[in-house]
Amino acid sequence: MWSFFWTFLKAFVVGGLLCAIGELLILKTRLTSARILVGYVTAGAILGAVGVWQPLADWAGAGATVPLLGFGNTLAQGALRAVKNRGILGAFTGGVEATAAGITAAIFFGYLMAILFKPKMKAE
């Protein structure tokens, strides 16, 4: 029981901390949300390259793997695996293959929510 609770607590704290850092960057800097997004994806790839990513993902679970850091790490690892198997062409195809299921799910569920609910433009 406590192990189950601890798993969720770690994921919540790490995921929440990543979101809080993003929010602070939006509020305290002139960075746009798109630049922060690219920064998180790049940071995930870099953390994986220096060996920090896997211990964090093993400890925090979904709190680390679901946000954009996890996406960046998956892109980079997929590209590296494909380069080993197919050569330089794998650098262009491996990341897409590694993340295809997640991208497909995001598109599918986004479309499903747009059908079920009535999306509106943000009023400014």
Side-chain angles (χ1 to χ4, degrees):
M1 169 69 178
W2 286 108
S3 171
F4 187 70
F5 174 75
W6 183 243
T7 300
F8 278 104
L9 182 64
K10 289 188 296 187
F12 178 78
V13 169
V14 172
L17 183 62
L18 292 171
C19 290
I21 291 169
E23 187 65 25
L24 283 173
L25 289 171
I26 289 172
L27 295 174
K28 301 294 183 183
T29 68
R30 297 184 60 153
L31 292 174
T32 63
S33 56
R35 288 184 178 176
I36 294 168
L37 178 145
V38 170
Y40 270 164
V41 172
T42 305
I46 292 169
L47 289 174
V50 297
V52 175
W53 173 255
Q54 198 56 52
L56 175 66
D58 291 342
W59 185 79
T65 59
V66 172
L68 290 169
L69 288 170
F71 182 72
N73 183 61
T74 303
L75 277 173
Q77 295 305 317
L80 290 174
R81 271 192 306 276
V83 166
K84 285 181 185 175
N85 295 334
R86 287 184 241 142
I88 194 67
L89 186 60
F92 300 103
T93 61
V96 176
E97 288 176 10
T99 58
I103 293 170
T104 302
I107 292 169
F108 173 76
F109 288 111
Y111 183 72
L112 183 63
M113 292 302 110
I115 290 172
L116 294 176
F117 301 98
K118 296 185 187 291
K120 296 179 183 142
M121 293 298 290
K122 182 179 173 182
E124 296 197 29

